[in-house]
Amino acid sequence: QQQQQQQQQGKLQSASTDELATNSVEEGAETRKNLKNKLLKLAASYDRGFGASPSARKEAISVIESLEEANPSTDTARGMDGGDGSIMEDTPLRGNWRMVWTSAQDVLVLAASPLSTVGAIYQIIDPPVITNIIDLLPRLQALLPPNFMPTSMLRAKVKTRS
């Protein structure tokens, strides 16, 4: 009987450990979701960083740093160098990404043009090649109603290889 009680206690301890792990994973997912939503709200409010005040930039950087800390993945840059030349399907960053926030001066300066405004900015990661895509729209077009004139866009693509 004492052995049965010990076995039951062991099962209870195991169950509570499993519950704690499940709760921790769920809390981590909820934390990441809340941080992502906060970043998306900042991006919408400040035109992806182009119209951000210094305090808004500081807040966005703080959210991004918190997201980095909350990331459950390890070695997220895995496979970015193309490895041994084989295709690495296990590259977490592989895919098409759309920029939602930037504090990079080389990107922020694009909004200073009197002739164009910045549309979408993408990064296509297919290791070892990374392609940056920037859509530029005539500034006049951005000021007019959407169907007033035919859409005109210049797309700049820059490929880099690691």
Side-chain angles (χ1 to χ4, degrees):
Q1 186 170 5
Q2 194 176 29
Q3 190 177 12
Q4 285 178 336
Q5 286 177 343
Q6 288 175 345
Q7 286 176 343
Q8 285 178 343
Q9 276 184 331
K11 287 179 184 176
L12 288 174
Q13 287 175 343
S14 175
S16 71
T17 302
D18 290 345
E19 287 174 15
L20 285 174
T22 300
N23 287 342
S24 178
V25 168
E26 289 172 1
E27 288 172 7
E30 188 66 25
T31 297
R32 288 188 304 278
K33 180 182 173 187
N34 290 338
L35 288 167
K36 288 176 187 178
N37 285 336
K38 188 172 185 177
L39 182 60
L40 290 173
K41 286 178 185 175
L42 283 166
S45 297
Y46 295 102
D47 189 20
R48 302 168 290 169
F50 289 104
S53 64
S55 63
R57 283 194 181 103
K58 188 175 180 180
E59 184 179 359
I61 289 169
S62 174
V63 171
I64 291 167
E65 288 171 351
S66 296
L67 271 168
E68 289 173 355
E69 290 171 12
N71 185 357
S73 300
T74 57
D75 193 19
T76 52
R78 177 178 63 251
M80 288 301 294
D81 63 356
D84 59 3
S86 62
I87 296 175
M88 297 200 53
E89 297 301 324
D90 190 29
T91 303
L93 293 176
R94 175 186 298 279
N96 297 339
W97 298 85
R98 185 174 182 162
M99 185 197 78
V100 295
W101 185 269
T102 187
S103 59
Q105 290 301 315
D106 61 332
V107 178
L108 292 172
V109 74
L110 294 172
S113 169
L115 302 175
S116 65
T117 186
V118 182
I121 298 178
Y122 302 92
Q123 203 168 48
I124 300 171
I125 300 176
D126 190 16
V129 176
I130 298 173
T131 305
N132 293 311
I133 300 172
I134 303 168
D135 293 339
L136 299 169
L137 305 166
R139 193 163 291 278
L140 176 65
Q141 181 177 318
L143 299 173
L144 298 173
N147 295 327
F148 186 77
M149 61 189 280
T151 302
S152 174
M153 177 180 68
L154 171 67
R155 176 167 278 181
K157 289 185 179 184
V158 179
K159 286 189 179 189
T160 56
R161 189 175 199 79
S162 64

